Amino acid sequence: TIALQHGAHGVGRRRDAAMEKWRAYGLGQFVHWGLYSIPAGEWNGKQYNGAAEWIKSWKEVPATTYDSLMYQFNPTKFNAESWAATAKQMGVKYVTITTKHHDGFCLWPSKYTNFTVANSPYKKDIIGPLVKAYDRRGIDVILYFSIMDWHNPDWRYDIKTREDSVAFDRFKQFTRNQLLELLTLYPAAKGLWFDGTWDKSWVKQAAFADSLEKEMRAMRPGLIIGSRFRADEYGKRHFDSNGNMMGDYEQGWERKIPEKITDVHGNDWDCVMTVPENQWGYSKIWKGHIKTTDELLEMLAKCVSLDGNFVLNFGPKPDGTLRTEELDLAKGIGAWMDTNSEAIYNGEYAGLVKQDWGYYVKKTGTNKIYMLVFNVPVSGALNVVLPSRTAISKVYDLGGPGLSYVPEEIGTSTYFIHLKQQTFKRPFVLVLETADNS
Ligand SMILES: C#C[C@@H]1N[C@@H](C)[C@@H](O)[C@H]1O
């Protein structure tokens, strides 16, 4: 290992109560909302090919014209309670909400810039009511914050000149001021989800970012910050120059899911996922494949089976309502969670041989194992291979009252569970209780 001044603050998983709670969430919601929701991926009648929340970066969009969207931001139908109620019914345990995306528009009345809701026709704070509505339903709130800020004239993509350095120093103070302001205004927030930290200008700020992280953690003990916030003094991000993870969980799984347990290196992580291929902010037209409830449930199961959390994105409309497709998915996921959420909450990697029929999840701190079944074999027999000297003591269906199975032992600690019905409309969960028969 090499001596690092600004590398990872610790090695291995945090074991404090705040992080144990984060580890147990299983299912989360992302919310991307802001001025970009107004054009919704379209400008002067032309479709922007990128993600809707990046439309300001399109050469067709003059920055000042985009920024004047502030005077159109007036979500008269916004109701924080109804968003939180939808999330509650869906079964999410945490929500990550955009306070400021790359465009620089703040959904809270920041005193460090005029580019906020306070100067929009809406006038009122958005973040405060959302934090309150989610928190009182027992859904923890994480605040998304983009370091990159296209509105602030002191933002730089790299530091090449003295002038750049002077401007970026002002930008660093502005960033620190806004972050301390967010933590002060919204003390109920459990963490910060940083984005827009890949450009050289920020990557070069190892010392500043390290001291800011320490300052924020001191201000809010238990605060959860992911691996995307800062780089070490050699510019290494997510994992420092010694291969140790920066922050409390890995934030590299954006629109992708690890394949196997070795991909996550024993760390905590969450996967943030869009419903269409790549749209976070509201987009009028969803191009390409739109994920179904069953696809999203399988992503959720896969993430939890590999020690992670699955966070599904919602892009609310400019009037403050949620789009129908997202409401339908929330209902479908919620209906499945009503029956099966015990296989998702407090779940972890079970350490068993992966089978084609689906995913194992182990209930943290117990020997209870869940089989989340997505692919029923034509034989109707689910293969289970346990560690040697471990036997199945009981198998029952989480959804079917009194539906239990007597497994057929076909070899040492190897079983077939013969399903009693051939057709299944939805994924289902079997509970496997094991006993040590050494
Ligand atoms: C790239 C990029 C950003 N990271 C995702 C979480 C969205 O915020 C997207 O705009």
Side-chain angles (χ1 to χ4, degrees):
T1 54
I2 55 176
L4 287 175
Q5 295 299 313
H6 306 297
H9 288 163
V11 179
R13 291 179 168 182
R14 266 178 52 177
R15 290 293 171 197
D16 58 292
M19 198 65 205
E20 294 287 2
K21 194 177 178 205
W22 188 95
R23 187 170 293 130
Y25 287 150
L27 176 61
Q29 178 189 42
F30 218 138
V31 175
H32 274 77
W33 200 37
L35 297 186
Y36 41 78
S37 311
I38 299 170
E42 189 175 288
W43 198 268
N44 290 340
K46 275 173 72 180
Q47 279 299 314
Y48 171 52
N49 276 337
E53 70 285 353
W54 274 70
I55 198 165
K56 183 176 178 178
S57 68
W58 193 15
K59 62 178 177 18
E60 316 253 338
V61 181
T64 46
T65 314
Y66 177 93
D67 287 357
S68 64
L69 288 169
M70 174 167 75
Y71 302 110
Q72 293 178 42
F73 188 77
N74 191 13
T76 49
K77 294 183 184 163
F78 171 62
N79 178 335
E81 296 296 329
S82 93
W83 289 13
T86 297
K88 185 70 180 174
Q89 180 274 331
M90 179 175 155
V92 306
K93 289 290 188 187
Y94 70 131
V95 62
T96 302
I97 304 171
T98 49
T99 59
K100 178 178 88 170
H101 203 262
H102 311 329
D103 63 359
F105 182 68
C106 303
L107 288 182
W108 83 99
S110 175
K111 61 174 187 272
Y112 298 102
T113 171
N114 294 326
F115 198 42
T116 82
V117 278
N119 299 309
S120 75
Y122 188 71
K123 297 201 184 317
K124 292 170 287 183
D125 179 15
I126 295 277
I127 300 301
L130 282 171
V131 171
K132 181 164 166 273
Y134 277 90
D135 197 60
R136 73 188 191 83
R137 287 174 171 78
I139 301 174
D140 285 349
V141 177
I142 306 268
L143 300 178
Y144 167 108
F145 183 89
S146 173
I147 297 290
M148 176 169 71
D149 180 328
W150 295 328
H151 177 80
N152 189 311
D154 291 330
W155 166 255
R156 294 291 183 281
Y157 287 98
D158 195 359
I159 316 287
K160 289 205 178 346
T161 65
R162 172 105 189 88
E163 193 280 333
D164 286 341
S165 183
V166 170
F168 207 68
D169 280 349
R170 283 195 301 267
F171 183 80
K172 283 149 65 178
Q173 289 318 314
F174 161 75
T175 297
R176 174 176 174 273
N177 289 337
Q178 284 206 315
L179 288 168
L180 300 186
E181 181 181 47
L182 283 168
L183 292 178
T184 306
L185 288 171
Y186 312 111
K190 301 296 182 294
L192 293 165
W193 205 97
F194 286 99
D195 204 0
T197 56
W198 46 78
D199 288 302
K200 288 199 184 81
S201 53
W202 183 257
V203 168
K204 287 174 177 170
Q205 308 303 327
F208 173 79
D210 190 10
S211 108
L212 178 54
E213 179 174 321
K214 286 173 181 156
E215 183 178 17
M216 292 190 289
R217 288 183 187 281
M219 186 175 169
R220 185 77 59 244
L223 190 69
I224 293 170
I225 295 175
S227 63
R228 200 179 283 199
F229 177 50
R230 64 186 176 89
D232 74 6
E233 56 261 49
Y234 294 97
K236 299 288 280 178
R237 300 180 63 233
H238 294 286
F239 293 89
D240 69 17
S241 304
N242 291 321
N244 295 316
M245 184 177 69
M246 310 285 274
D248 306 315
Y249 66 95
E250 193 190 346
Q251 266 184 287
W253 303 101
E254 179 173 316
R255 297 190 298 118
K256 57 185 185 223
I257 297 175
E259 264 317 304
K260 53 196 185 309
I261 195 64
T262 47
D263 294 341
V264 304
H265 317 290
N267 294 312
D268 288 302
W269 57 278
D270 70 5
C271 159
V272 290
M273 186 57 74
T274 49
V275 176
E277 176 55 37
N278 181 20
Q279 291 297 339
W280 299 87
Y282 175 65
S283 175
K284 258 177 217 133
I285 297 173
W286 270 357
K287 286 172 277 191
H289 178 67
I290 311 304
K291 299 171 188 76
T292 63
T293 299
D294 285 347
E295 281 177 87
L296 294 167
L297 287 172
E298 182 156 6
M299 291 181 173
L300 168 62
K302 186 170 184 180
C303 288
V304 174
S305 77
L306 293 173
D307 271 351
N309 292 327
F310 180 67
V311 181
L312 183 62
N313 182 69
F314 285 61
K317 296 161 74 170
D319 69 357
T321 60
L322 297 179
R323 77 187 298 155
T324 314
E325 300 93 326
E326 291 172 355
L327 287 168
D328 292 346
L329 287 170
K331 276 199 198 80
I333 292 167
W336 188 86
M337 287 292 278
D338 285 347
T339 304
N340 301 291
S341 63
E342 76 171 79
I344 296 295
Y345 301 145
N346 302 293
E348 65 181 44
Y349 174 61
L352 299 179
V353 175
K354 170 85 174 63
Q355 301 290 342
D356 292 342
W357 45 257
Y359 309 88
Y360 288 112
V361 170
K362 184 177 171 208
K363 177 66 76 185
T364 300
T366 74
N367 70 353
K368 202 171 201 180
I369 289 170
Y370 298 93
M371 298 168 60
L372 287 77
V373 185
F374 287 82
N375 312 299
V376 175
V378 285
S379 64
L382 305 183
N383 189 218
V384 173
V385 178
L386 296 177
S388 60
R389 291 197 300 282
T390 311
I392 297 180
S393 58
K394 199 173 164 190
V395 185
Y396 58 94
D397 187 322
L398 200 51
L403 192 54
S404 64
Y405 294 88
V406 177
E408 177 198 356
E409 189 162 3
I410 58 172
T412 313
S413 298
T414 306
Y415 299 86
F416 269 147
I417 295 171
H418 295 284
L419 295 172
K420 293 175 179 165
Q421 62 185 78
Q422 281 315 305
T423 54
F424 296 84
K425 283 276 163 281
R426 309 314 303 262
F428 60 94
V429 176
L430 300 185
V431 183
L432 202 57
E433 295 195 356
T434 59
D436 182 335
N437 68 353
S438 46

